[in-house]
Amino acid sequence: MIPIYQPYLPKKSVEYANEAIQSNWISSLGKYTFIAAEKLAEVTETKYCVLTNNGTSATHLITKSLKKKYPNVNKIYVPSSCFVAAYNCLLYDNIGWEIEAVDLCNETWNADYNSIEPEKNSAIMVVHNLGNIVDVLKLKEKFEVPIIEDNCEGFFGKYRGHQSGSKSLASSLSFFGNKNITTGEGGAFLTNDESLYDYANKIRGQGQTVKRYIHDDLGYNYRMTNVHAAILLGQLESMDCVYEQKLRVFDRYKRNLKSKEGIELQSTEDNTEHSMWMNGVKFKSLECYEDADKYFTSKGIETRPMFYPFDEQSHLRTITGPSENARNLSDRIVIFPSYPELKNTEIDYICSCILKFREELE
């Protein structure tokens, strides 16, 4: 079976992790937590970085930072379909935000923010679906509202030459095992606002003040361990190799599938660069993902579905807004293997199966 994803672990990650273990600094203290945070801020073109235990924790920190900076914000615009953590993080604190979904664009598979007129005291949560980057700078020019970015799928992506996640109020990253850069589990909160950095850094560690065991805010244990940070540093030092491999994978898919009748690939916005996280294919005649899953499993290819609309999640019924496009896309999009070490022969085989499946649908 060709897996949907498998992590790339460079020798440096293993070396640094072993060193961290041997040093006995295996918890949230140790040199790698500082070195990796500095390196990550550098490569993401942000001033401040807070490492976290996972991407969901980091996303929770960006929602809390939004409320901290803009306490009058009472409405959030979100995509009608994305990974559920983005929605959950807006609900954790029972703030009572009005959450309105923005339906997806049928070409980019991202929220179509051009369809909205943000209200006063509102904000936008941008999510880069499958790593397809939304032009946040364009949104900032058009709308005078705060913007936070769930950039968990966007590492390597760019808008107008800038790293995704670098030009919003705050952004989150995930280093889960299926991400371009991975520590198995892990994440990061990024911002250019020093006050939000101080706030996120404090509540990540139980809300402790500069005086040990004195706490002045409700906090969480969202800290990354030194071992995970060591793995992260090795990944970041090898990111050029990972990027080149991902570029090869995505280019080969495009060369094999572009302009083929009956299928569509994800379109990118002008002035943006896809992060090349996951490669999706939309089958125009497909009626439900399960039919595709059964076919490709029989061919030894693992797939996954596109994210389902918010209103198919029973605990998200308080969210309002349209979801027709999201539902249509979730029926027709299939996500295929796209990890860095995927072989060209495997990509060619997957593409041949894609084209045969398309013929069967016709």
Side-chain angles (χ1 to χ4, degrees):
M1 179 74 73
I2 302 174
I4 189 71
Y5 216 90
Q6 60 185 25
Y8 175 76
L9 284 175
K11 291 182 180 179
K12 280 292 186 181
S13 286
V14 178
E15 177 186 327
Y16 292 155
N18 285 332
E19 184 178 306
I21 292 170
Q22 291 168 8
S23 74
N24 288 326
W25 291 100
I26 62 172
S27 192
S28 58
L29 295 177
K31 70 176 185 179
Y32 288 110
T33 60
F34 301 101
I35 299 172
E38 290 180 355
K39 180 68 173 178
L40 186 59
E42 174 189 339
V43 302
T44 57
E45 300 175 3
T46 51
K47 292 182 180 179
Y48 306 106
C49 170
V50 177
L51 298 180
T52 62
N53 57 342
N54 58 57
T56 301
S57 299
T59 303
H60 186 208
L61 291 180
I62 69 173
T63 65
K64 290 188 72 69
S65 295
L66 171 65
K67 191 63 177 178
K68 180 73 171 179
K69 188 76 172 183
Y70 297 97
N72 292 329
V73 164
N74 53 31
K75 182 172 184 176
I76 312 289
Y77 294 93
V78 299
S80 61
S81 175
C82 62
F83 184 58
V84 71
Y87 306 125
N88 289 346
C89 289
L90 292 169
L91 300 175
Y92 285 157
D93 299 304
N94 294 315
I95 290 173
W97 275 320
E98 179 185 351
I99 306 174
E100 182 173 324
V102 181
D103 209 0
L104 302 190
C105 167
N106 282 314
E107 286 73 44
T108 66
W109 313 346
N110 280 325
D112 183 8
Y113 295 106
N114 291 318
S115 65
I116 65 171
E117 290 291 339
E119 298 177 10
K120 184 181 179 181
N121 294 329
S122 67
I124 295 172
M125 173 183 269
V126 167
V127 184
H128 307 290
N129 271 342
L130 305 185
N132 196 22
I133 303 303
V134 175
D135 187 351
V136 168
L137 288 173
K138 181 180 178 180
L139 297 183
K140 289 177 70 174
E141 291 169 0
K142 185 174 182 180
F143 304 129
E144 295 183 359
V145 299
I147 297 172
I148 54 175
E149 282 179 81
D150 178 337
N151 193 37
C152 289
E153 299 163 16
F155 195 91
F156 288 154
K158 292 183 179 181
Y159 38 66
R160 303 195 192 185
H162 299 284
Q163 298 293 328
S164 60
S166 65
K167 297 300 179 181
S168 53
L169 178 68
S171 65
S172 58
L173 284 174
S174 169
F175 304 124
F176 185 62
N178 64 5
K179 297 300 189 292
N180 288 342
I181 297 295
T182 179
T183 61
E185 275 284 10
F189 167 95
L190 300 166
T191 187
N192 295 309
D193 186 314
E194 185 175 7
S195 66
L196 292 185
Y197 164 73
D198 291 338
Y199 174 68
N201 196 42
K202 181 175 69 170
I203 64 172
R204 172 195 66 161
Q206 302 288 14
Q208 182 172 263
T209 64
V210 293
K211 186 175 182 179
R212 194 168 189 178
Y213 301 139
I214 295 297
H215 308 255
D216 64 356
D217 214 329
L218 175 64
Y220 312 87
N221 185 6
Y222 283 173
R223 296 168 295 184
M224 177 183 282
T225 70
N226 193 42
V227 175
H228 284 93
I231 297 172
L232 174 60
L233 180 61
Q235 293 264 313
L236 294 174
E237 290 181 352
S238 304
M239 59 183 288
D240 288 347
C241 177
V242 178
Y243 178 85
E244 290 301 322
Q245 291 283 59
K246 295 287 289 193
L247 184 62
R248 172 189 59 82
V249 169
F250 268 66
D251 280 351
R252 193 149 190 115
Y253 268 116
K254 288 179 183 177
R255 185 163 65 249
N256 287 345
L257 299 176
K258 190 175 181 180
S259 302
K260 298 295 185 181
E261 193 70 28
I263 60 175
E264 292 179 1
L265 303 180
Q266 193 174 22
S267 298
T268 56
E269 270 191 77
D270 292 339
N271 303 311
T272 67
E273 296 178 28
H274 202 290
S275 78
M276 302 176 294
W277 175 50
M278 285 284 187
N279 187 76
V281 175
K282 181 169 74 172
F283 294 88
K284 295 180 181 180
S285 299
L286 183 61
E287 294 186 357
C288 69
Y289 164 76
E290 285 71 22
D291 292 340
D293 182 46
K294 182 178 179 180
Y295 175 86
F296 289 106
T297 297
S298 73
K299 302 298 182 183
I301 302 166
E302 185 182 8
T303 65
R304 49 153 275 195
M306 180 59 174
F307 304 118
Y308 295 103
F310 70 91
D311 50 13
E312 290 194 24
Q313 323 292 345
S314 59
H315 72 296
L316 299 179
R317 296 295 167 83
T318 57
I319 298 177
T320 61
S323 61
E324 182 181 351
N325 290 349
R327 182 164 291 101
N328 179 280
L329 291 171
S330 68
D331 286 340
R332 290 168 172 75
I333 293 172
V334 182
I335 311 302
F336 290 95
S338 56
Y339 53 91
E341 295 176 296
L342 187 65
K343 298 175 183 177
N344 285 341
T345 53
E346 292 173 317
I347 299 170
D348 293 343
Y349 169 70
I350 293 168
C351 290
S352 68
C353 292
I354 289 172
L355 295 176
K356 288 178 182 176
F357 181 64
R358 174 208 58 176
E359 292 174 1
E360 291 191 12
L361 290 174
E362 300 298 328

